């Protein structure tokens, strides 16, 4: 159900060129369990590139991207008991699930048996195509909204809703929060830099593994990593052999896995959070040393709220570049070219008019 024509202003891509421009559309009226949120900020994720440019062949145009949403509650439905008008809240990568399956019951809604409804380019319960955070407001079922503490900046909160939870969730699940253990982080982008920050907050000894020497200074001085290894340098990799308890692999491009597996200690674990085109490794890399390779995507509602609270308590903030909505097309091109440190955040509140 919608109200008057064009009650929400957003920026949308109309075709696979991915070019965004202003677009008016309708949001549903606030239902009994819903929260209406005035969006103040939205992070820019590579998923925005994927679906604005129809990389998977399933884009439903017009596409209004954005699934790292932060804002302020303006209305709540009568069944809502978690939020009130004026609360600071976030919305992540999904806005609905079946709420009945074993995974939803256990707080792993991102693995819902019926499939999660993505925040944009998904099909909502009313049959409409979901539209994301490059817009003035959004209406979401309360279960998929997260309380952001008032003292935590909304601009900083936005990237937590995808980049942050994507690394935090597997770090908790695989017990990478044990002080004194050692963590390797492959790739130092939006996800990787958050893995470094979480690792340091957990008391881990953190090594950044990168092919780019240009990232060394910021990895050590800004992000406070303990060590920086050029992964294309065979001697440096050899010197690091069997030294890591855990590895978070956030590299987006194709890369070899055997060299990184050799860095793990016995019983060590590598978690893949990126999407290379394939995974190839020798069985020796797994079997000798009883090592594990696992995958992960985002996180459930319970873990997401825990992560936000953890960031607020420990003053963990993503490194962001705040931009106006009018810069969104350039930002997406820069993201494709890996020219961002470390996450773009759109100032929706000030620039979307």
């Amino acid at each position: 159900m919608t109200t008057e024509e064009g009650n929400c202003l957003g920026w949308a891509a109309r075709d696979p060129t991915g070019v965004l421009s202003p677009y008016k559309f309708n949001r549903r009226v606030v239902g009994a369990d819903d929260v209406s949120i005035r969006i103040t900020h939205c992070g820019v994720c590579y998923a925005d590139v994927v679906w604005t440019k129809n990389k998977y062949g399933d884009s439903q145009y017009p596409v209004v991207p954005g699934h790292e949403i932060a804002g302020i509650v303006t209305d709540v439905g009568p069944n809502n008991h978690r939020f009130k008008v004026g609360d600071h809240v976030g919305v992540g990568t999904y806005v609905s699930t079946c709420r009945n399956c074993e995974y939803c019951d256990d707080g792993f809604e991102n693995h819902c048996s019926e499939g999660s409804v993505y925040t944009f380019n998904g099909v909502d319960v009313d049959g409409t195509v979901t539209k994301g955070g490059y817009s003035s407001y959004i209406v979401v079922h309360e279960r998929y909204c997260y309380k952001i503490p008032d003292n935590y900046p909304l601009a900083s909160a936005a990237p937590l809703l995808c980049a942050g939870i994507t690394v935090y969730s597997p770090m908790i699940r695989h017990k990478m929060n044990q002080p004194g253990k050692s963590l390797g982080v492959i790739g130092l982008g939006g996800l990787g830099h958050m893995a470094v920050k979480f690792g340091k907050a957990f008391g881990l000894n953190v090594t950044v593994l990168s092919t780019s020497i240009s990232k060394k200074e910021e990895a050590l001085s800004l992000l406070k990593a303990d060590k920086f290894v050029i992964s294309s340098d065979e001697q440096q990799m050899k010197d690091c052999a069997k030294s890591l308890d855990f590895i978070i692999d956030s590299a987006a491009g194709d890369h070899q896995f055997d060299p990184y597996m050799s860095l793990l200690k016995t019983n060590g674990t590598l978690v893949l959070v990126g999407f290379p085109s394939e995974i190839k490794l020798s069985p020796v890399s797994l079997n000798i040393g009883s090592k594990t390779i696992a995958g992960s995507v985002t996180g459930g509602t319970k873990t997401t709220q825990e992560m936000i609270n953890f960031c607020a308590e420990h003053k963990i903030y993503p490194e962001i570049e705040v931009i106006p909505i009018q810069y969104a097309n350039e930002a997406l091109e820069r993201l494709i070219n890996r020219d961002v440190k470390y996450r773009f955040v759109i100032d929706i509140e000030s620039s979307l008019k």
Side-chain angles (χ1 to χ4, degrees):
M1 184 178 178
T2 59
T3 57
E4 72 273 12
E5 182 65 21
N7 61 25
C8 186
L9 175 62
W11 274 48
R14 270 68 167 198
D15 56 52
T17 64
V19 175
L20 299 164
S21 59
Y23 169 65
K24 280 194 170 182
F25 63 98
N26 288 306
R27 294 287 189 194
R28 70 170 183 262
V29 297
V30 177
D33 300 298
D34 286 340
V35 177
S36 184
I37 302 157
R38 175 171 60 84
I39 298 171
T40 62
H41 297 85
C42 186
V44 177
C45 175
Y46 196 78
D48 303 344
V49 173
V50 168
W51 279 287
T52 56
K53 292 184 177 293
N54 199 25
K55 297 284 190 182
Y56 293 162
D58 63 351
S59 295
Q60 304 181 72
Y61 294 103
V63 172
V64 178
H67 63 197
E68 296 183 335
I69 300 168
I72 299 170
V73 175
T74 58
D75 194 10
V76 298
N79 293 348
N80 187 303
H81 302 295
R82 294 179 56 215
F83 301 100
K84 64 182 186 302
V85 172
D87 280 352
H88 290 189
V89 296
V91 177
T93 60
Y94 52 93
V95 291
S96 190
T97 61
C98 78
R99 298 189 283 280
N100 291 311
C101 70
E102 60 178 308
Y103 302 109
C104 286
D105 286 346
D106 288 342
F108 298 113
E109 295 93 339
N110 53 316
H111 296 296
C112 173
S113 295
E114 300 296 319
S116 304
V117 175
Y118 293 146
T119 302
F120 70 95
N121 200 60
V123 178
D124 212 343
V125 290
D126 61 1
T128 60
V129 176
T130 55
K131 293 176 170 57
Y134 292 27
S135 58
S136 55
Y137 82 101
I138 192 168
V139 178
V140 181
H141 188 289
E142 66 165 350
R143 178 163 175 164
Y144 311 99
C145 300
Y146 308 99
K147 182 75 175 74
I148 299 170
D150 290 342
N151 63 349
Y152 196 90
L154 289 171
S156 297
L160 300 181
L161 279 307
C162 178
I165 189 59
T166 296
V167 294
Y168 182 91
S169 177
M171 291 178 82
I172 295 299
R173 189 166 65 254
H174 293 280
K175 298 179 172 57
M176 298 186 192
N177 56 349
Q178 303 173 61
K181 296 280 190 176
S182 53
L183 169 72
V185 177
I186 305 171
L188 199 60
L191 277 64
H193 97 285
M194 288 305 301
V196 174
K197 286 175 178 278
F198 287 135
K200 293 301 296 181
F202 291 146
L204 304 179
N205 188 289
V206 179
T207 297
V208 171
L209 303 154
S210 176
T211 57
S212 177
I213 186 67
S214 64
K215 295 188 175 181
K216 180 175 182 177
E217 185 177 346
E218 285 200 347
L220 298 175
S221 61
L222 176 67
L223 302 178
K224 308 300 184 186
D226 300 283
K227 188 176 180 181
F228 186 90
V229 171
I230 300 292
S231 53
S232 55
D233 185 317
E234 289 187 16
Q235 188 57 51
Q236 287 192 37
M237 291 288 280
K238 188 175 180 180
D239 292 343
C240 201
K242 300 180 181 179
S243 67
L244 303 174
D245 295 291
F246 315 109
I247 295 175
I248 290 287
D249 183 352
S250 70
D254 288 341
H255 55 284
Q256 294 181 308
F257 283 81
D258 291 308
Y260 294 112
M261 296 298 287
S262 73
L263 306 184
L264 289 172
K265 297 178 182 179
T266 295
N267 297 321
T269 299
L270 181 149
V271 177
L272 180 67
V273 293
F275 283 85
S277 63
E278 65 176 1
I279 299 172
K280 288 179 67 174
L281 73 164
S282 165
V284 172
S285 294
L286 279 178
N287 297 345
I288 304 302
S290 298
K291 297 170 185 177
T292 300
I293 184 168
S296 190
V297 290
T298 63
T301 55
K302 181 173 180 286
T303 307
T304 301
Q305 187 63 65
E306 288 174 358
M307 173 207 60
I308 293 169
N309 296 345
F310 183 83
C311 288
E313 181 182 348
H314 294 271
K315 296 181 167 54
I316 300 169
Y317 307 104
E319 301 298 325
I320 61 175
E321 180 178 336
V322 179
I323 61 170
I325 188 74
Q326 293 78 12
Y327 191 73
N329 288 306
E330 289 86 347
L332 290 174
E333 287 304 311
R334 282 180 58 188
L335 183 58
I336 291 168
N337 295 324
R338 301 180 186 179
D339 176 25
V340 53
K341 293 180 179 177
Y342 285 83
R343 203 68 159 182
F344 288 118
V345 175
I346 302 171
D347 184 346
I348 298 289
E349 185 176 42
S350 298
S351 64
L352 181 61
K353 307 294 184 186

